[in-house]
């Protein structure tokens, strides 16, 4: 399953294991030390993936984005090494041919954007106020202090706060499109800069060779090392947001530094953008089926 750590998925894992059915999990978003559902104490997971008490049930095999996640799950999550397989993520297979699929002009036309202005995307994360601090106000105020740009607020799929963001935009007198049900990858392809806090979209933006601005005004440590690994520049105070976005948009040295760090970051966190993740996972499944039938 995807979301194999959820309550219902854990129950499915147990039922499958009871019936000797192989179980497979697939990473569906970034995993960090803060991802409590993946971080287990020593001896909390059986070395042979047993689901019997007192062990926590995990899939027989978990397919992950890259080596970063594999090492994290083994070291911090105490997953047995044999249960983790680096494959990349099938939904990113199309990126190797993205120039033949998407058109920037399509997004500009769809949302009636000014073709003479750069496009900035703010990807929200469905966080509680105590988790995000004053993030929305910080970002919108930062945009207001820039020269005019096209600005789109892309809501997280689990977030239904269109009116909240529209009220903030009105309060700050900032023009923007607030959307939820639209292809995020099309937006990433068309945009010039992406603003996040610690969303998986930061990784996806790197795959599309886009500068990332990570805004964290909570005073807490970053959840994912986008800034540490050099594929994002950070703003930790409201007063820093505008100048940080400006650097990502216009500063050639900053953009070059971010670009130079992307390939290594992608290799560690998304393996290979070669369009073959689905094939790697399929081959693993076929091996399991063959083993079961021998």
């Amino acid at each position: 399953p995807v979301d194999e750590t959820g309550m219902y998925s854990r129950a499915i894992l147990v039922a499958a294991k009871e019936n000797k059915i192989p179980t497979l999990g697939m990473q569906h978003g970034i995993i960090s030390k803060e991802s409590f559902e993946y971080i287990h104490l020593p001896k909390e997971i059986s070395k042979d993936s047993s689901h019997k008490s007192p062990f926590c049930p995990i899939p027989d095999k978990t397919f992950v984005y890259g080596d970063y996640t594999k090492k994290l799950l083994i070291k911090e999550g105490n997953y047995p090494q044999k249960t983790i397989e680096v494959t990349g993520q099938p939904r990113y297979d199309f990126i190797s041919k993205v120039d033949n699929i998407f058109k920037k002009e399509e997004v500009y036309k769809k949302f009636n954007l000014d073709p003479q202005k750069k496009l900035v995307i703010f990807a929200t994360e469905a966080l509680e106020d105590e988790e995000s601090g004053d993030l929305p106000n910080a970002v919108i105020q930062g945009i207001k202090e820039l020269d005019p740009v096209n600005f789109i607020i892309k809501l997280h799929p689990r977030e239904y706060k269109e009116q909240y963001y529209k009220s903030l935009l009105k309060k700050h007198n900032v023009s923007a499109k607030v959307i939820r049900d639209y292809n995020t990858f099309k937006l990433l392809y068309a945009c010039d800069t992406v603003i996040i806090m610690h969303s998986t979209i930061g990784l996806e933006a790197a795959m599309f060779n886009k500068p990332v601005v990570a805004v964290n005004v909570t005073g807490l440590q970053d959840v994912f090392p986008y800034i540490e690994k050099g594929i994002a520049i950070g703003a930790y105070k409201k007063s820093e947001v505008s100048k940080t976005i400006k650097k990502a948009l216009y500063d050639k040295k900053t953009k070059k530094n971010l670009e130079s760090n992307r390939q290594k970051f992608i290799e560690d966190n998304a393996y290979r953008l070669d369009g073959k993740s689905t094939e790697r996972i399929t081959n693993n499944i076929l091996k399991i089926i063959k083993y079961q039938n021998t």
Side-chain angles (χ1 to χ4, degrees):
V2 174
D3 188 29
E4 74 282 1
T5 61
M7 179 173 64
Y8 297 110
S9 294
R10 297 272 199 212
I12 292 171
L13 288 177
V14 171
K17 286 172 179 285
E18 283 288 311
N19 288 279
K20 295 182 171 52
I21 300 172
T23 55
L24 309 172
M26 187 184 303
Q27 182 182 353
H28 58 281
I30 58 170
I31 298 174
S32 73
K33 293 180 181 180
E34 304 299 319
S35 303
F36 65 89
E37 66 270 43
Y38 289 97
I39 306 303
H40 298 276
L41 297 173
K43 298 183 179 180
E44 196 171 84
I45 294 178
S46 166
K47 291 183 179 180
D48 62 357
S49 302
S50 171
H51 61 289
K52 301 291 187 181
S53 179
F55 298 115
C56 177
I58 63 168
D60 298 317
K61 185 77 73 174
T62 299
F63 302 124
V64 300
Y65 288 7
D67 282 333
Y68 175 86
T69 307
K70 178 177 180 177
K71 292 174 182 176
L72 180 73
L73 290 180
I74 293 170
K75 182 179 179 181
E76 305 291 341
N78 287 289
Y79 277 62
Q81 183 169 339
K82 65 182 180 181
T83 67
I84 309 298
E85 187 79 25
V86 175
T87 59
Q89 166 56 251
R91 75 167 176 265
Y92 301 141
D93 279 351
F94 78 97
I95 293 178
S96 62
K97 300 178 181 178
V98 70
D99 289 331
N100 299 322
I101 302 172
F102 293 159
K103 301 295 181 185
K104 181 175 181 177
E105 296 77 15
E106 178 184 329
V107 174
Y108 271 68
K109 183 178 180 180
K110 169 74 175 178
F111 297 105
N112 194 29
L113 304 178
D114 186 340
Q116 303 303 314
K117 296 177 183 177
K118 292 186 179 294
L119 172 58
V120 178
I121 305 296
F122 170 37
T124 72
E125 303 184 33
L127 300 171
E128 299 297 332
D129 290 345
E130 59 268 22
E131 296 176 294
S132 64
D134 201 18
L135 179 66
N137 274 299
V139 171
I140 293 171
Q141 182 62 41
I143 291 292
K144 182 178 181 179
E145 294 170 5
L146 290 175
D147 292 333
V149 295
N150 295 306
F151 183 41
I152 290 179
I153 298 177
K154 175 62 174 72
L155 300 182
H156 189 280
R158 294 198 306 269
E159 191 169 34
Y160 297 85
K161 297 168 64 174
E162 287 95 336
Q163 291 307 313
Y164 167 72
Y165 284 98
K166 287 178 179 178
S167 68
L168 288 183
L169 290 166
K170 184 177 181 181
K171 172 186 172 182
H172 291 285
N173 193 28
V174 171
S175 176
K177 307 291 183 180
V178 182
I179 60 177
R180 191 173 68 87
D181 299 319
Y182 189 75
N183 189 322
T184 303
F185 296 133
K186 288 184 178 181
L187 296 177
L188 290 176
Y189 186 80
C191 78
D192 296 283
T193 291
V194 180
I195 303 172
I196 61 163
M197 184 175 173
H198 51 65
S199 170
T200 302
I201 290 179
L203 168 60
E204 294 168 347
M207 296 179 195
F208 282 82
N209 295 312
K210 304 295 177 161
V212 177
V213 173
V215 179
N216 180 359
V217 292
T218 64
L220 302 174
Q221 186 176 353
D222 290 327
V223 169
F224 201 75
Y226 289 124
I227 299 168
E228 177 187 334
K229 298 298 182 181
I231 63 101
I233 51 176
Y236 293 101
K237 298 178 182 178
K238 288 184 182 181
S239 60
E240 298 174 347
V241 175
S242 180
K243 65 180 181 181
T244 305
I245 299 171
K246 189 174 182 179
K247 286 177 67 176
L249 282 171
Y250 305 110
D251 188 82
K252 292 182 179 179
K253 183 177 179 180
T254 297
K255 294 169 73 172
K256 185 176 181 180
N257 288 340
L258 294 174
E259 183 177 4
S260 67
N261 293 322
R262 283 185 197 128
Q263 188 55 47
K264 179 63 166 63
F265 181 84
I266 290 170
E267 288 174 3
D268 287 343
N269 292 276
Y271 196 41
R272 301 171 185 163
L273 297 182
D274 57 2
K276 295 183 178 180
S277 295
T278 301
E279 181 180 329
R280 285 188 282 273
I281 289 177
T282 301
N283 286 339
N284 269 278
I285 292 172
L286 291 174
K287 287 179 183 178
I288 292 170
I289 292 173
K290 184 178 180 180
Y291 177 79
Q292 286 291 110
N293 292 331
T294 57

